[in-house]
Amino acid sequence: NQAGFDSVLAAVDGSGGGTITFNCGTATIVFTNRKAIAHAVVIDGGGSITLDGGGTSALFQIYASANVTLRRLTLQHGVFNGGHMLENFGSLRLREVTVRNNISGAAPLLNQNSLVVEASTFADNTNNGAGSSGHGGAILNDGGPATIRFSTFSNNTATTGGGAIYSTSTLNVSNSTFSGNRATASSSGGGAIYVDSSDAGSLVHVTIADNSGGTFGGGFYSANGALFVSRSIIANNAN
């Protein structure tokens, strides 16, 4: 339950860090408040734990001092005052994590430092924010670098750009698939990915198919800098 998880997280983080595992079988833990992490913490759900914001609570805020790994977890239904389900200001790694069904007025995951996403899935998330808040249906990378590999982004929606990912800093994506993502406003673009950065980025061995942008960049759009695309499939995207 949440009280038990809160107690363990406080003890582990308060002692300078460590690894949290679960011995409760398949379980869903519903959060009623956001958890802050300040040190080196690994949370390993073993493929059987779901962390749920209940449509009213965010899940985690990662401090600049922290080095956090979330592994084999499902993160869902998170929201914070219409904002981000997961905020990273330190170092964050997601491995074998499913992020799904988060509906809010901002991207589910905000990265403002260092992010690595591996073998993970972002599906059916919706960012219905206006203006710059509507950037990124799954991830807003606003201070990177962000590295995405062996991951899937499907059926995510952003209002004003980047149906799956909106990036203002270095973004490198490899061996990943983007399908059914949408940027919905009439003046929006980057159905799957919108890059607005002077930093060089890359898409390597990436499939971007069946995504849609509002008026431009049905698959992806790069507004500034150099985006290197290699050995990738870009198909059936629409405006």
Side-chain angles (χ1 to χ4, degrees), residues 5 8-9 12-13 17-22 37 39-45 67-73 93 95:
F5 179 78
V8 172
L9 177 59
V12 170
D13 192 40
T19 298
I20 297 172
T21 59
F22 300 80
I37 303 178
H39 298 97
V41 174
V42 177
I43 302 175
D44 190 339
N67 186 344
V68 174
T69 297
L70 304 180
R71 181 186 303 155
R72 298 186 292 179
L73 290 162
R93 180 183 298 268
R95 180 164 181 80

mmCIF file with all atom_site columns, all heavy atoms in Angstrom, residues 5 8-9 12-13 17-22 37 39-45 67-73 93 95:
data_model
loop_
_atom_site.group_PDB
_atom_site.id
_atom_site.type_symbol
_atom_site.label_atom_id
_atom_site.label_alt_id
_atom_site.label_comp_id
_atom_site.label_asym_id
_atom_site.label_entity_id
_atom_site.label_seq_id
_atom_site.pdbx_PDB_ins_code
_atom_site.Cartn_x
_atom_site.Cartn_y
_atom_site.Cartn_z
_atom_site.occupancy
_atom_site.B_iso_or_equiv
_atom_site.pdbx_formal_charge
_atom_site.auth_seq_id
_atom_site.auth_comp_id
_atom_site.auth_asym_id
_atom_site.auth_atom_id
_atom_site.pdbx_PDB_model_num
ATOM 1   N N   . PHE A 1 5  ? 4.900  1.807  1.102   1.00 0.00 ? 5  PHE A N   1
ATOM 2   C CA  . PHE A 1 5  ? 5.868  2.255  0.104   1.00 0.00 ? 5  PHE A CA  1
ATOM 3   C C   . PHE A 1 5  ? 6.524  3.560  0.540   1.00 0.00 ? 5  PHE A C   1
ATOM 4   O O   . PHE A 1 5  ? 7.745  3.730  0.427   1.00 0.00 ? 5  PHE A O   1
ATOM 5   C CB  . PHE A 1 5  ? 5.182  2.437  -1.247  1.00 0.00 ? 5  PHE A CB  1
ATOM 6   C CG  . PHE A 1 5  ? 6.104  2.926  -2.320  1.00 0.00 ? 5  PHE A CG  1
ATOM 7   C CD1 . PHE A 1 5  ? 6.992  2.069  -2.951  1.00 0.00 ? 5  PHE A CD1 1
ATOM 8   C CD2 . PHE A 1 5  ? 6.097  4.261  -2.702  1.00 0.00 ? 5  PHE A CD2 1
ATOM 9   C CE1 . PHE A 1 5  ? 7.850  2.523  -3.938  1.00 0.00 ? 5  PHE A CE1 1
ATOM 10  C CE2 . PHE A 1 5  ? 6.950  4.726  -3.688  1.00 0.00 ? 5  PHE A CE2 1
ATOM 11  C CZ  . PHE A 1 5  ? 7.828  3.847  -4.313  1.00 0.00 ? 5  PHE A CZ  1
ATOM 12  N N   . VAL A 1 8  ? 9.192  2.879  3.190   1.00 0.00 ? 8  VAL A N   1
ATOM 13  C CA  . VAL A 1 8  ? 10.415 2.264  2.656   1.00 0.00 ? 8  VAL A CA  1
ATOM 14  C C   . VAL A 1 8  ? 11.206 3.276  1.840   1.00 0.00 ? 8  VAL A C   1
ATOM 15  O O   . VAL A 1 8  ? 12.431 3.381  1.975   1.00 0.00 ? 8  VAL A O   1
ATOM 16  C CB  . VAL A 1 8  ? 10.059 1.029  1.808   1.00 0.00 ? 8  VAL A CB  1
ATOM 17  C CG1 . VAL A 1 8  ? 11.296 0.509  1.081   1.00 0.00 ? 8  VAL A CG1 1
ATOM 18  C CG2 . VAL A 1 8  ? 9.470  -0.065 2.682   1.00 0.00 ? 8  VAL A CG2 1
ATOM 19  N N   . LEU A 1 9  ? 10.522 4.036  0.975   1.00 0.00 ? 9  LEU A N   1
ATOM 20  C CA  . LEU A 1 9  ? 11.224 5.028  0.161   1.00 0.00 ? 9  LEU A CA  1
ATOM 21  C C   . LEU A 1 9  ? 11.906 6.072  1.035   1.00 0.00 ? 9  LEU A C   1
ATOM 22  O O   . LEU A 1 9  ? 13.068 6.444  0.790   1.00 0.00 ? 9  LEU A O   1
ATOM 23  C CB  . LEU A 1 9  ? 10.246 5.701  -0.798  1.00 0.00 ? 9  LEU A CB  1
ATOM 24  C CG  . LEU A 1 9  ? 10.823 6.814  -1.676  1.00 0.00 ? 9  LEU A CG  1
ATOM 25  C CD1 . LEU A 1 9  ? 11.962 6.294  -2.540  1.00 0.00 ? 9  LEU A CD1 1
ATOM 26  C CD2 . LEU A 1 9  ? 9.733  7.433  -2.549  1.00 0.00 ? 9  LEU A CD2 1
ATOM 27  N N   . VAL A 1 12 ? 15.057 4.449  2.586   1.00 0.00 ? 12 VAL A N   1
ATOM 28  C CA  . VAL A 1 12 ? 16.135 4.199  1.629   1.00 0.00 ? 12 VAL A CA  1
ATOM 29  C C   . VAL A 1 12 ? 16.743 5.511  1.156   1.00 0.00 ? 12 VAL A C   1
ATOM 30  O O   . VAL A 1 12 ? 17.972 5.679  1.161   1.00 0.00 ? 12 VAL A O   1
ATOM 31  C CB  . VAL A 1 12 ? 15.605 3.376  0.434   1.00 0.00 ? 12 VAL A CB  1
ATOM 32  C CG1 . VAL A 1 12 ? 16.649 3.311  -0.682  1.00 0.00 ? 12 VAL A CG1 1
ATOM 33  C CG2 . VAL A 1 12 ? 15.224 1.980  0.884   1.00 0.00 ? 12 VAL A CG2 1
ATOM 34  N N   . ASP A 1 13 ? 15.909 6.453  0.751   1.00 0.00 ? 13 ASP A N   1
ATOM 35  C CA  . ASP A 1 13 ? 16.417 7.731  0.266   1.00 0.00 ? 13 ASP A CA  1
ATOM 36  C C   . ASP A 1 13 ? 17.088 8.516  1.391   1.00 0.00 ? 13 ASP A C   1
ATOM 37  O O   . ASP A 1 13 ? 18.137 9.142  1.193   1.00 0.00 ? 13 ASP A O   1
ATOM 38  C CB  . ASP A 1 13 ? 15.272 8.543  -0.335  1.00 0.00 ? 13 ASP A CB  1
ATOM 39  C CG  . ASP A 1 13 ? 15.757 9.745  -1.119  1.00 0.00 ? 13 ASP A CG  1
ATOM 40  O OD1 . ASP A 1 13 ? 16.765 9.621  -1.839  1.00 0.00 ? 13 ASP A OD1 1
ATOM 41  O OD2 . ASP A 1 13 ? 15.120 10.812 -1.020  1.00 0.00 ? 13 ASP A OD2 1
ATOM 42  N N   . GLY A 1 17 ? 20.482 6.265  -0.187  1.00 0.00 ? 17 GLY A N   1
ATOM 43  C CA  . GLY A 1 17 ? 20.174 5.509  -1.398  1.00 0.00 ? 17 GLY A CA  1
ATOM 44  C C   . GLY A 1 17 ? 20.188 4.016  -1.190  1.00 0.00 ? 17 GLY A C   1
ATOM 45  O O   . GLY A 1 17 ? 20.580 3.504  -0.144  1.00 0.00 ? 17 GLY A O   1
ATOM 46  N N   . GLY A 1 18 ? 19.736 3.295  -2.209  1.00 0.00 ? 18 GLY A N   1
ATOM 47  C CA  . GLY A 1 18 ? 19.660 1.843  -2.163  1.00 0.00 ? 18 GLY A CA  1
ATOM 48  C C   . GLY A 1 18 ? 18.618 1.358  -3.155  1.00 0.00 ? 18 GLY A C   1
ATOM 49  O O   . GLY A 1 18 ? 18.111 2.111  -3.980  1.00 0.00 ? 18 GLY A O   1
ATOM 50  N N   . THR A 1 19 ? 18.294 0.072  -3.070  1.00 0.00 ? 19 THR A N   1
ATOM 51  C CA  . THR A 1 19 ? 17.363 -0.556 -4.001  1.00 0.00 ? 19 THR A CA  1
ATOM 52  C C   . THR A 1 19 ? 16.101 -0.995 -3.287  1.00 0.00 ? 19 THR A C   1
ATOM 53  O O   . THR A 1 19 ? 16.161 -1.594 -2.204  1.00 0.00 ? 19 THR A O   1
ATOM 54  C CB  . THR A 1 19 ? 18.014 -1.776 -4.678  1.00 0.00 ? 19 THR A CB  1
ATOM 55  O OG1 . THR A 1 19 ? 19.156 -1.349 -5.432  1.00 0.00 ? 19 THR A OG1 1
ATOM 56  C CG2 . THR A 1 19 ? 17.038 -2.479 -5.616  1.00 0.00 ? 19 THR A CG2 1
ATOM 57  N N   . ILE A 1 20 ? 14.961 -0.694 -3.897  1.00 0.00 ? 20 ILE A N   1
ATOM 58  C CA  . ILE A 1 20 ? 13.663 -1.115 -3.365  1.00 0.00 ? 20 ILE A CA  1
ATOM 59  C C   . ILE A 1 20 ? 13.095 -2.189 -4.285  1.00 0.00 ? 20 ILE A C   1
ATOM 60  O O   . ILE A 1 20 ? 12.976 -1.987 -5.502  1.00 0.00 ? 20 ILE A O   1
ATOM 61  C CB  . ILE A 1 20 ? 12.682 0.075  -3.302  1.00 0.00 ? 20 ILE A CB  1
ATOM 62  C CG1 . ILE A 1 20 ? 13.204 1.146  -2.346  1.00 0.00 ? 20 ILE A CG1 1
ATOM 63  C CG2 . ILE A 1 20 ? 11.293 -0.392 -2.875  1.00 0.00 ? 20 ILE A CG2 1
ATOM 64  C CD1 . ILE A 1 20 ? 12.399 2.434  -2.373  1.00 0.00 ? 20 ILE A CD1 1
ATOM 65  N N   . THR A 1 21 ? 12.757 -3.339 -3.713  1.00 0.00 ? 21 THR A N   1
ATOM 66  C CA  . THR A 1 21 ? 12.071 -4.401 -4.438  1.00 0.00 ? 21 THR A CA  1
ATOM 67  C C   . THR A 1 21 ? 10.784 -4.732 -3.697  1.00 0.00 ? 21 THR A C   1
ATOM 68  O O   . THR A 1 21 ? 10.532 -4.227 -2.587  1.00 0.00 ? 21 THR A O   1
ATOM 69  C CB  . THR A 1 21 ? 12.944 -5.656 -4.569  1.00 0.00 ? 21 THR A CB  1
ATOM 70  O OG1 . THR A 1 21 ? 13.303 -6.123 -3.258  1.00 0.00 ? 21 THR A OG1 1
ATOM 71  C CG2 . THR A 1 21 ? 14.224 -5.363 -5.354  1.00 0.00 ? 21 THR A CG2 1
ATOM 72  N N   . PHE A 1 22 ? 9.963  -5.599 -4.287  1.00 0.00 ? 22 PHE A N   1
ATOM 73  C CA  . PHE A 1 22 ? 8.639  -5.886 -3.736  1.00 0.00 ? 22 PHE A CA  1
ATOM 74  C C   . PHE A 1 22 ? 8.467  -7.395 -3.560  1.00 0.00 ? 22 PHE A C   1
ATOM 75  O O   . PHE A 1 22 ? 8.928  -8.184 -4.386  1.00 0.00 ? 22 PHE A O   1
ATOM 76  C CB  . PHE A 1 22 ? 7.553  -5.343 -4.661  1.00 0.00 ? 22 PHE A CB  1
ATOM 77  C CG  . PHE A 1 22 ? 7.616  -3.857 -4.867  1.00 0.00 ? 22 PHE A CG  1
ATOM 78  C CD1 . PHE A 1 22 ? 8.521  -3.299 -5.773  1.00 0.00 ? 22 PHE A CD1 1
ATOM 79  C CD2 . PHE A 1 22 ? 6.787  -2.998 -4.159  1.00 0.00 ? 22 PHE A CD2 1
ATOM 80  C CE1 . PHE A 1 22 ? 8.594  -1.922 -5.970  1.00 0.00 ? 22 PHE A CE1 1
ATOM 81  C CE2 . PHE A 1 22 ? 6.847  -1.623 -4.344  1.00 0.00 ? 22 PHE A CE2 1
ATOM 82  C CZ  . PHE A 1 22 ? 7.757  -1.093 -5.252  1.00 0.00 ? 22 PHE A CZ  1
ATOM 83  N N   . ILE A 1 37 ? 12.672 12.298 -4.550  1.00 0.00 ? 37 ILE A N   1
ATOM 84  C CA  . ILE A 1 37 ? 13.842 11.435 -4.373  1.00 0.00 ? 37 ILE A CA  1
ATOM 85  C C   . ILE A 1 37 ? 15.086 12.291 -4.538  1.00 0.00 ? 37 ILE A C   1
ATOM 86  O O   . ILE A 1 37 ? 15.230 13.012 -5.538  1.00 0.00 ? 37 ILE A O   1
ATOM 87  C CB  . ILE A 1 37 ? 13.855 10.281 -5.384  1.00 0.00 ? 37 ILE A CB  1
ATOM 88  C CG1 . ILE A 1 37 ? 12.570 9.450  -5.272  1.00 0.00 ? 37 ILE A CG1 1
ATOM 89  C CG2 . ILE A 1 37 ? 15.080 9.402  -5.164  1.00 0.00 ? 37 ILE A CG2 1
ATOM 90  C CD1 . ILE A 1 37 ? 12.477 8.319  -6.274  1.00 0.00 ? 37 ILE A CD1 1
ATOM 91  N N   . HIS A 1 39 ? 18.499 11.021 -3.658  1.00 0.00 ? 39 HIS A N   1
ATOM 92  C CA  . HIS A 1 39 ? 19.759 10.284 -3.675  1.00 0.00 ? 39 HIS A CA  1
ATOM 93  C C   . HIS A 1 39 ? 19.742 9.184  -4.739  1.00 0.00 ? 39 HIS A C   1
ATOM 94  O O   . HIS A 1 39 ? 18.896 9.206  -5.636  1.00 0.00 ? 39 HIS A O   1
ATOM 95  C CB  . HIS A 1 39 ? 20.041 9.716  -2.276  1.00 0.00 ? 39 HIS A CB  1
ATOM 96  C CG  . HIS A 1 39 ? 20.193 10.758 -1.224  1.00 0.00 ? 39 HIS A CG  1
ATOM 97  N ND1 . HIS A 1 39 ? 19.161 11.138 -0.396  1.00 0.00 ? 39 HIS A ND1 1
ATOM 98  C CD2 . HIS A 1 39 ? 21.253 11.534 -0.887  1.00 0.00 ? 39 HIS A CD2 1
ATOM 99  C CE1 . HIS A 1 39 ? 19.562 12.092 0.424   1.00 0.00 ? 39 HIS A CE1 1
ATOM 100 N NE2 . HIS A 1 39 ? 20.839 12.362 0.141   1.00 0.00 ? 39 HIS A NE2 1
ATOM 101 N N   . ALA A 1 40 ? 20.666 8.238  -4.652  1.00 0.00 ? 40 ALA A N   1
ATOM 102 C CA  . ALA A 1 40 ? 20.776 7.151  -5.629  1.00 0.00 ? 40 ALA A CA  1
ATOM 103 C C   . ALA A 1 40 ? 19.806 6.036  -5.244  1.00 0.00 ? 40 ALA A C   1
ATOM 104 O O   . ALA A 1 40 ? 20.061 5.270  -4.309  1.00 0.00 ? 40 ALA A O   1
ATOM 105 C CB  . ALA A 1 40 ? 22.204 6.626  -5.677  1.00 0.00 ? 40 ALA A CB  1
ATOM 106 N N   . VAL A 1 41 ? 18.702 5.933  -5.959  1.00 0.00 ? 41 VAL A N   1
ATOM 107 C CA  . VAL A 1 41 ? 17.649 4.979  -5.614  1.00 0.00 ? 41 VAL A CA  1
ATOM 108 C C   . VAL A 1 41 ? 17.246 4.191  -6.850  1.00 0.00 ? 41 VAL A C   1
ATOM 109 O O   . VAL A 1 41 ? 17.049 4.757  -7.930  1.00 0.00 ? 41 VAL A O   1
ATOM 110 C CB  . VAL A 1 41 ? 16.413 5.707  -5.048  1.00 0.00 ? 41 VAL A CB  1
ATOM 111 C CG1 . VAL A 1 41 ? 15.256 4.731  -4.831  1.00 0.00 ? 41 VAL A CG1 1
ATOM 112 C CG2 . VAL A 1 41 ? 16.762 6.411  -3.736  1.00 0.00 ? 41 VAL A CG2 1
ATOM 113 N N   . VAL A 1 42 ? 17.122 2.878  -6.668  1.00 0.00 ? 42 VAL A N   1
ATOM 114 C CA  . VAL A 1 42 ? 16.582 1.979  -7.690  1.00 0.00 ? 42 VAL A CA  1
ATOM 115 C C   . VAL A 1 42 ? 15.252 1.440  -7.177  1.00 0.00 ? 42 VAL A C   1
ATOM 116 O O   . VAL A 1 42 ? 15.178 0.934  -6.060  1.00 0.00 ? 42 VAL A O   1
ATOM 117 C CB  . VAL A 1 42 ? 17.533 0.806  -7.978  1.00 0.00 ? 42 VAL A CB  1
ATOM 118 C CG1 . VAL A 1 42 ? 16.901 -0.158 -8.986  1.00 0.00 ? 42 VAL A CG1 1
ATOM 119 C CG2 . VAL A 1 42 ? 18.874 1.307  -8.491  1.00 0.00 ? 42 VAL A CG2 1
ATOM 120 N N   . ILE A 1 43 ? 14.203 1.558  -7.989  1.00 0.00 ? 43 ILE A N   1
ATOM 121 C CA  . ILE A 1 43 ? 12.907 0.970  -7.652  1.00 0.00 ? 43 ILE A CA  1
ATOM 122 C C   . ILE A 1 43 ? 12.610 -0.078 -8.712  1.00 0.00 ? 43 ILE A C   1
ATOM 123 O O   . ILE A 1 43 ? 12.419 0.243  -9.892  1.00 0.00 ? 43 ILE A O   1
ATOM 124 C CB  . ILE A 1 43 ? 11.791 2.032  -7.610  1.00 0.00 ? 43 ILE A CB  1
ATOM 125 C CG1 . ILE A 1 43 ? 12.137 3.119  -6.593  1.00 0.00 ? 43 ILE A CG1 1
ATOM 126 C CG2 . ILE A 1 43 ? 10.456 1.380  -7.253  1.00 0.00 ? 43 ILE A CG2 1
ATOM 127 C CD1 . ILE A 1 43 ? 11.147 4.273  -6.569  1.00 0.00 ? 43 ILE A CD1 1
ATOM 128 N N   . ASP A 1 44 ? 12.597 -1.346 -8.303  1.00 0.00 ? 44 ASP A N   1
ATOM 129 C CA  . ASP A 1 44 ? 12.440 -2.485 -9.220  1.00 0.00 ? 44 ASP A CA  1
ATOM 130 C C   . ASP A 1 44 ? 11.128 -3.191 -8.923  1.00 0.00 ? 44 ASP A C   1
ATOM 131 O O   . ASP A 1 44 ? 10.975 -3.841 -7.888  1.00 0.00 ? 44 ASP A O   1
ATOM 132 C CB  . ASP A 1 44 ? 13.615 -3.443 -9.053  1.00 0.00 ? 44 ASP A CB  1
ATOM 133 C CG  . ASP A 1 44 ? 13.653 -4.524 -10.119 1.00 0.00 ? 44 ASP A CG  1
ATOM 134 O OD1 . ASP A 1 44 ? 12.599 -4.799 -10.736 1.00 0.00 ? 44 ASP A OD1 1
ATOM 135 O OD2 . ASP A 1 44 ? 14.727 -5.097 -10.339 1.00 0.00 ? 44 ASP A OD2 1
ATOM 136 N N   . GLY A 1 45 ? 10.171 -3.053 -9.850  1.00 0.00 ? 45 GLY A N   1
ATOM 137 C CA  . GLY A 1 45 ? 8.854  -3.654 -9.646  1.00 0.00 ? 45 GLY A CA  1
ATOM 138 C C   . GLY A 1 45 ? 8.750  -5.106 -10.048 1.00 0.00 ? 45 GLY A C   1
ATOM 139 O O   . GLY A 1 45 ? 7.686  -5.718 -9.871  1.00 0.00 ? 45 GLY A O   1
ATOM 140 N N   . ASN A 1 67 ? 20.170 10.168 -8.496  1.00 0.00 ? 67 ASN A N   1
ATOM 141 C CA  . ASN A 1 67 ? 20.453 9.247  -9.604  1.00 0.00 ? 67 ASN A CA  1
ATOM 142 C C   . ASN A 1 67 ? 19.477 8.083  -9.449  1.00 0.00 ? 67 ASN A C   1
ATOM 143 O O   . ASN A 1 67 ? 19.665 7.220  -8.596  1.00 0.00 ? 67 ASN A O   1
ATOM 144 C CB  . ASN A 1 67 ? 21.902 8.774  -9.533  1.00 0.00 ? 67 ASN A CB  1
ATOM 145 C CG  . ASN A 1 67 ? 22.294 7.925  -10.728 1.00 0.00 ? 67 ASN A CG  1
ATOM 146 O OD1 . ASN A 1 67 ? 21.437 7.435  -11.458 1.00 0.00 ? 67 ASN A OD1 1
ATOM 147 N ND2 . ASN A 1 67 ? 23.583 7.747  -10.929 1.00 0.00 ? 67 ASN A ND2 1
ATOM 148 N N   . VAL A 1 68 ? 18.425 8.077  -10.256 1.00 0.00 ? 68 VAL A N   1
ATOM 149 C CA  . VAL A 1 68 ? 17.293 7.178  -10.025 1.00 0.00 ? 68 VAL A CA  1
ATOM 150 C C   . VAL A 1 68 ? 17.111 6.232  -11.211 1.00 0.00 ? 68 VAL A C   1
ATOM 151 O O   . VAL A 1 68 ? 17.172 6.649  -12.373 1.00 0.00 ? 68 VAL A O   1
ATOM 152 C CB  . VAL A 1 68 ? 15.995 7.981  -9.801  1.00 0.00 ? 68 VAL A CB  1
ATOM 153 C CG1 . VAL A 1 68 ? 14.786 7.054  -9.718  1.00 0.00 ? 68 VAL A CG1 1
ATOM 154 C CG2 . VAL A 1 68 ? 16.119 8.810  -8.528  1.00 0.00 ? 68 VAL A CG2 1
ATOM 155 N N   . THR A 1 69 ? 16.861 4.959  -10.887 1.00 0.00 ? 69 THR A N   1
ATOM 156 C CA  . THR A 1 69 ? 16.470 3.979  -11.893 1.00 0.00 ? 69 THR A CA  1
ATOM 157 C C   . THR A 1 69 ? 15.103 3.417  -11.535 1.00 0.00 ? 69 THR A C   1
ATOM 158 O O   . THR A 1 69 ? 14.895 2.945  -10.416 1.00 0.00 ? 69 THR A O   1
ATOM 159 C CB  . THR A 1 69 ? 17.480 2.821  -11.978 1.00 0.00 ? 69 THR A CB  1
ATOM 160 O OG1 . THR A 1 69 ? 18.749 3.322  -12.403 1.00 0.00 ? 69 THR A OG1 1
ATOM 161 C CG2 . THR A 1 69 ? 17.012 1.760  -12.965 1.00 0.00 ? 69 THR A CG2 1
ATOM 162 N N   . LEU A 1 70 ? 14.177 3.510  -12.475 1.00 0.00 ? 70 LEU A N   1
ATOM 163 C CA  . LEU A 1 70 ? 12.875 2.861  -12.346 1.00 0.00 ? 70 LEU A CA  1
ATOM 164 C C   . LEU A 1 70 ? 12.879 1.673  -13.298 1.00 0.00 ? 70 LEU A C   1
ATOM 165 O O   . LEU A 1 70 ? 13.122 1.844  -14.503 1.00 0.00 ? 70 LEU A O   1
ATOM 166 C CB  . LEU A 1 70 ? 11.752 3.831  -12.689 1.00 0.00 ? 70 LEU A CB  1
ATOM 167 C CG  . LEU A 1 70 ? 11.703 5.131  -11.887 1.00 0.00 ? 70 LEU A CG  1
ATOM 168 C CD1 . LEU A 1 70 ? 10.542 6.000  -12.341 1.00 0.00 ? 70 LEU A CD1 1
ATOM 169 C CD2 . LEU A 1 70 ? 11.589 4.853  -10.385 1.00 0.00 ? 70 LEU A CD2 1
ATOM 170 N N   . ARG A 1 71 ? 12.595 0.489  -12.764 1.00 0.00 ? 71 ARG A N   1
ATOM 171 C CA  . ARG A 1 71 ? 12.773 -0.733 -13.554 1.00 0.00 ? 71 ARG A CA  1
ATOM 172 C C   . ARG A 1 71 ? 11.570 -1.665 -13.397 1.00 0.00 ? 71 ARG A C   1
ATOM 173 O O   . ARG A 1 71 ? 11.061 -1.856 -12.289 1.00 0.00 ? 71 ARG A O   1
ATOM 174 C CB  . ARG A 1 71 ? 14.049 -1.444 -13.077 1.00 0.00 ? 71 ARG A CB  1
ATOM 175 C CG  . ARG A 1 71 ? 14.403 -2.724 -13.800 1.00 0.00 ? 71 ARG A CG  1
ATOM 176 C CD  . ARG A 1 71 ? 15.591 -3.392 -13.125 1.00 0.00 ? 71 ARG A CD  1
ATOM 177 N NE  . ARG A 1 71 ? 16.764 -2.522 -13.065 1.00 0.00 ? 71 ARG A NE  1
ATOM 178 C CZ  . ARG A 1 71 ? 17.727 -2.648 -12.152 1.00 0.00 ? 71 ARG A CZ  1
ATOM 179 N NH1 . ARG A 1 71 ? 17.637 -3.569 -11.202 1.00 0.00 ? 71 ARG A NH1 1
ATOM 180 N NH2 . ARG A 1 71 ? 18.757 -1.830 -12.181 1.00 0.00 ? 71 ARG A NH2 1
ATOM 181 N N   . ARG A 1 72 ? 11.112 -2.195 -14.524 1.00 0.00 ? 72 ARG A N   1
ATOM 182 C CA  . ARG A 1 72 ? 10.061 -3.226 -14.537 1.00 0.00 ? 72 ARG A CA  1
ATOM 183 C C   . ARG A 1 72 ? 8.826  -2.786 -13.746 1.00 0.00 ? 72 ARG A C   1
ATOM 184 O O   . ARG A 1 72 ? 8.306  -3.509 -12.911 1.00 0.00 ? 72 ARG A O   1
ATOM 185 C CB  . ARG A 1 72 ? 10.610 -4.553 -14.025 1.00 0.00 ? 72 ARG A CB  1
ATOM 186 C CG  . ARG A 1 72 ? 11.735 -5.095 -14.908 1.00 0.00 ? 72 ARG A CG  1
ATOM 187 C CD  . ARG A 1 72 ? 12.197 -6.461 -14.512 1.00 0.00 ? 72 ARG A CD  1
ATOM 188 N NE  . ARG A 1 72 ? 12.879 -6.456 -13.211 1.00 0.00 ? 72 ARG A NE  1
ATOM 189 C CZ  . ARG A 1 72 ? 13.364 -7.551 -12.630 1.00 0.00 ? 72 ARG A CZ  1
ATOM 190 N NH1 . ARG A 1 72 ? 13.236 -8.740 -13.195 1.00 0.00 ? 72 ARG A NH1 1
ATOM 191 N NH2 . ARG A 1 72 ? 13.980 -7.458 -11.470 1.00 0.00 ? 72 ARG A NH2 1
ATOM 192 N N   . LEU A 1 73 ? 8.355  -1.562 -14.065 1.00 0.00 ? 73 LEU A N   1
ATOM 193 C CA  . LEU A 1 73 ? 7.197  -0.956 -13.421 1.00 0.00 ? 73 LEU A CA  1
ATOM 194 C C   . LEU A 1 73 ? 6.202  -0.485 -14.476 1.00 0.00 ? 73 LEU A C   1
ATOM 195 O O   . LEU A 1 73 ? 6.562  -0.240 -15.627 1.00 0.00 ? 73 LEU A O   1
ATOM 196 C CB  . LEU A 1 73 ? 7.618  0.267  -12.602 1.00 0.00 ? 73 LEU A CB  1
ATOM 197 C CG  . LEU A 1 73 ? 8.420  0.069  -11.322 1.00 0.00 ? 73 LEU A CG  1
ATOM 198 C CD1 . LEU A 1 73 ? 9.094  1.383  -10.941 1.00 0.00 ? 73 LEU A CD1 1
ATOM 199 C CD2 . LEU A 1 73 ? 7.520  -0.410 -10.191 1.00 0.00 ? 73 LEU A CD2 1
ATOM 200 N N   . ARG A 1 93 ? 16.865 6.924  -15.219 1.00 0.00 ? 93 ARG A N   1
ATOM 201 C CA  . ARG A 1 93 ? 16.864 5.838  -16.194 1.00 0.00 ? 93 ARG A CA  1
ATOM 202 C C   . ARG A 1 93 ? 15.575 5.038  -16.036 1.00 0.00 ? 93 ARG A C   1
ATOM 203 O O   . ARG A 1 93 ? 15.223 4.621  -14.919 1.00 0.00 ? 93 ARG A O   1
ATOM 204 C CB  . ARG A 1 93 ? 18.070 4.911  -15.985 1.00 0.00 ? 93 ARG A CB  1
ATOM 205 C CG  . ARG A 1 93 ? 18.137 3.743  -16.985 1.00 0.00 ? 93 ARG A CG  1
ATOM 206 C CD  . ARG A 1 93 ? 19.327 2.834  -16.667 1.00 0.00 ? 93 ARG A CD  1
ATOM 207 N NE  . ARG A 1 93 ? 20.580 3.542  -16.793 1.00 0.00 ? 93 ARG A NE  1
ATOM 208 C CZ  . ARG A 1 93 ? 21.323 3.594  -17.906 1.00 0.00 ? 93 ARG A CZ  1
ATOM 209 N NH1 . ARG A 1 93 ? 20.920 2.949  -18.988 1.00 0.00 ? 93 ARG A NH1 1
ATOM 210 N NH2 . ARG A 1 93 ? 22.449 4.264  -17.918 1.00 0.00 ? 93 ARG A NH2 1
ATOM 211 N N   . ARG A 1 95 ? 13.923 1.544  -17.364 1.00 0.00 ? 95 ARG A N   1
ATOM 212 C CA  . ARG A 1 95 ? 14.225 0.297  -18.069 1.00 0.00 ? 95 ARG A CA  1
ATOM 213 C C   . ARG A 1 95 ? 13.063 -0.671 -17.891 1.00 0.00 ? 95 ARG A C   1
ATOM 214 O O   . ARG A 1 95 ? 12.674 -0.976 -16.760 1.00 0.00 ? 95 ARG A O   1
ATOM 215 C CB  . ARG A 1 95 ? 15.523 -0.318 -17.571 1.00 0.00 ? 95 ARG A CB  1
ATOM 216 C CG  . ARG A 1 95 ? 15.858 -1.626 -18.303 1.00 0.00 ? 95 ARG A CG  1
ATOM 217 C CD  . ARG A 1 95 ? 17.284 -2.056 -18.128 1.00 0.00 ? 95 ARG A CD  1
ATOM 218 N NE  . ARG A 1 95 ? 17.559 -3.289 -18.845 1.00 0.00 ? 95 ARG A NE  1
ATOM 219 C CZ  . ARG A 1 95 ? 17.801 -3.374 -20.158 1.00 0.00 ? 95 ARG A CZ  1
ATOM 220 N NH1 . ARG A 1 95 ? 17.836 -2.277 -20.879 1.00 0.00 ? 95 ARG A NH1 1
ATOM 221 N NH2 . ARG A 1 95 ? 18.031 -4.539 -20.730 1.00 0.00 ? 95 ARG A NH2 1
#
